[in-house]
Amino acid sequence: MSPVETQPTAVYVTEGLLEALLDLASEAEPGEVSTPIATVPAGDLEGPDADRVPEATPVFAEYRLPDPNNALAGVFGVELSRPNRDTQGRFLSHPSGLLEVTMEDDLAEVVIVAVPPWEPTDDALAAFDRGGSRRSIVELDAAPPVEPFES
């Protein structure tokens, strides 16, 4: 495959992560989803598109399950149970259909917003920077290596 030219305003996301996040949003409807998402260096990915971007390019590939019982995060939008520095973005669903960042949203360096019909299309999925400016999304057919579960 030919390399993808990296763009400073682009947000790189694995197809698997997008699929999982859109499934979460669909299952939560009519409720909203707000969950942290994290990047891995492109060099750590495996799959057909793993070598399409430079190895150091951050690619969103992981998320945390939303914790509906975390009242502090729900009220104040702050995760006190874990350091915020280990996630670089946030996924939000807006079942109302508003495809933009709002004053009520939890913000992060990158915010990915989805609206019904919960599909990875330009009119149902968008990425924004902390200031609300839209950024392009580049989907990659790649995934982080499977790590064994440690208890």
Side-chain angles (χ1 to χ4, degrees), residues 56-78:
T57 303
V59 178
F60 283 98
E62 301 174 340
Y63 73 99
R64 285 210 186 104
L65 288 172
D67 183 2
N69 296 323
N70 188 345
L72 290 174
V75 174
F76 300 108
V78 176

Side-chain angles (χ1 to χ4, degrees), residues 41-108:
D44 291 353
L45 298 175
E46 300 172 349
D49 289 346
D51 59 352
R52 291 184 59 206
V53 293
E55 289 185 3
T57 303
V59 178
F60 283 98
E62 301 174 340
Y63 73 99
R64 285 210 186 104
L65 288 172
D67 183 2
N69 296 323
N70 188 345
L72 290 174
V75 174
F76 300 108
V78 176
E79 272 191 78
L80 298 178
S81 60
R82 303 176 192 95
N84 283 331
R85 68 181 173 271
D86 62 354
T87 60
Q88 299 75 30
R90 181 159 289 280
F91 171 78
L92 304 170
S93 69
H94 287 172
S96 66
L98 185 62
L99 190 59
E100 62 185 50
V101 176
T102 70
M103 294 295 287
E104 292 81 28
D105 288 333
D106 296 332
L107 296 180

Side-chain angles (χ1 to χ4, degrees), residues 4-150:
V4 172
E5 185 175 320
T6 56
Q7 307 163 19
T9 60
V11 174
Y12 297 89
V13 186
T14 63
E15 290 176 356
L17 176 64
L18 283 180
E19 183 179 323
L21 294 172
L22 293 171
D23 285 348
L24 281 175
S26 176
E27 291 171 10
E29 191 174 15
E32 296 180 351
V33 172
S34 176
T35 191
I37 54 178
T39 62
V40 298
D44 291 353
L45 298 175
E46 300 172 349
D49 289 346
D51 59 352
R52 291 184 59 206
V53 293
E55 289 185 3
T57 303
V59 178
F60 283 98
E62 301 174 340
Y63 73 99
R64 285 210 186 104
L65 288 172
D67 183 2
N69 296 323
N70 188 345
L72 290 174
V75 174
F76 300 108
V78 176
E79 272 191 78
L80 298 178
S81 60
R82 303 176 192 95
N84 283 331
R85 68 181 173 271
D86 62 354
T87 60
Q88 299 75 30
R90 181 159 289 280
F91 171 78
L92 304 170
S93 69
H94 287 172
S96 66
L98 185 62
L99 190 59
E100 62 185 50
V101 176
T102 70
M103 294 295 287
E104 292 81 28
D105 288 333
D106 296 332
L107 296 180
E109 183 179 338
V110 172
V111 179
I112 297 177
V113 178
V115 298
W118 314 120
E119 296 175 358
T121 61
D122 288 342
D123 56 348
L125 186 71
F128 301 89
D129 64 18
R130 184 182 304 274
S133 297
R134 196 160 181 165
R135 297 175 66 180
S136 62
I137 294 177
V138 177
E139 287 184 58
L140 298 176
D141 184 6
V146 177
E147 297 180 15
F149 178 74
E150 296 178 21

